[in-house]
Amino acid sequence: MKIYDYNGKKNISGDRIHQARTAIRLSQTDLAARVQVKGVMIEREAISKIETGDRFVTDYELMVFAKVLGKSIDWFLQPDD
């Protein structure tokens, strides 16, 4: 199985997840807890790897991040210009 990346990262939403999380002054631990309440078991370390682009983001994880962080899924898929 080939592992893919895009511009050296395994996701394009990590920067936006970090941006949305810090805008509402939420720690990675607190974000992980809120995502877990929604049924996705994820730890703080995984949040860190997602935000740095070192971990893939599944579609259901992105859906829950959008709900928890109050953004649309499309917003997470837009590059920062």
Side-chain angles (χ1 to χ4, degrees):
M1 179 174 147
K2 182 171 173 117
I3 303 297
Y4 295 95
D5 65 36
Y6 179 76
N7 292 334
K9 293 189 174 187
K10 293 183 175 147
N11 69 65
I12 61 171
S13 58
D15 290 336
R16 287 289 183 124
I17 291 169
H18 175 78
Q19 184 180 358
R21 178 182 62 77
T22 56
I24 59 173
R25 300 175 188 210
L26 197 63
S27 70
Q28 290 177 340
T29 301
D30 290 338
L31 177 57
R34 290 184 185 193
V35 170
Q36 288 172 7
V37 167
K38 297 287 187 185
V40 176
M41 294 301 111
I42 194 166
E43 300 295 328
R44 188 212 58 81
E45 294 82 9
I47 301 285
S48 177
K49 287 181 179 183
I50 287 169
E51 289 182 351
T52 60
D54 294 328
R55 180 184 177 282
F56 290 103
V57 180
T58 64
D59 52 359
Y60 63 86
E61 288 171 335
L62 188 58
M63 177 188 67
V64 173
F65 282 129
K67 287 179 184 177
V68 168
L69 295 169
K71 301 286 186 182
S72 71
I73 291 174
D74 288 343
W75 185 84
F76 289 102
L77 300 176
Q78 298 301 314
D80 286 328
D81 293 326

